[in-house]
Amino acid sequence: MKLPDLSFENAARAHGANRIAGVDEVGRGPLAGPVVAAAVVLDPAHIPEGLRDSKQLSAKRRAALSEIIHDVAQVGIGQASVAEIDQINILRASHLAMERAVAALPEPPDHLLIDGNMIPRDLVIPATPLVKGDTLSVSIAAASIMAKIWRDQVMRDLAQQFPGYGWETNAGYPSKNHKAALRNLGVTPHHRRSFKPVHNILYQDKCVSG
């Protein structure tokens, strides 16, 4: 398996960029919780070993790498709330989280490598979109790790407030147990009402009560 490398970072540097941030988001698919993005500026002289798409790492390895990334890189985290997801749709909310992550960096970057095939419309920094970028660029891979670590902790915290949905293990994704809990326990304030499984339950409840 080919691991992500510095090819795209080096290409940006060849065109005059110095501070290059990888940007990725996590949490488009869940039925509950915010969408979270991270922006990471790596030091080319201190690239953590084993960076790859967060989905290809064990939870233990992700946690270890996140600590290393915090020590050797600059990190910005941004998120968009459930209310924002329902208001502006998940794609735009994902882009909003990315914009906020870039804005949260301690120093502004001069080039962005963004996971996906679109550049968020309100970013004014030069950017390169990379489909499956977390498998191509170490900067995006690092961002995928930081975003997942952050969001998983958010969902574990929410699971303490709303037990029974299994958010501490399913992170709000539509697992069998999560969907069963939705039917049995109902919809929480942290569920995305614009998502069909949640919308359908609310509609059914409305029809029954009506």
Side-chain angles (χ1 to χ4, degrees), residues 110-142:
D110 49 25
H111 195 88
L112 306 174
L113 300 175
I114 298 178
D115 185 59
N117 62 357
M118 297 177 65
I119 298 172
R121 66 189 183 198
D122 290 333
L123 286 175
V124 296
I125 299 167
T128 303
L130 294 174
V131 176
K132 296 186 178 179
D134 44 15
T135 68
L136 301 173
S137 157
V138 287
S139 298
I140 297 178

Side-chain angles (χ1 to χ4, degrees), residues 160-192:
Q160 299 299 311
Q161 302 173 40
F162 294 89
Y165 297 88
W167 293 341
E168 66 278 11
T169 56
N170 64 43
Y173 282 88
S175 67
K176 183 178 179 180
N177 289 343
H178 186 186
K179 289 190 287 187
L182 256 178
R183 291 190 295 270
N184 296 328
L185 301 176
V187 176
T188 74
H190 298 286
H191 278 102
R192 302 172 181 180

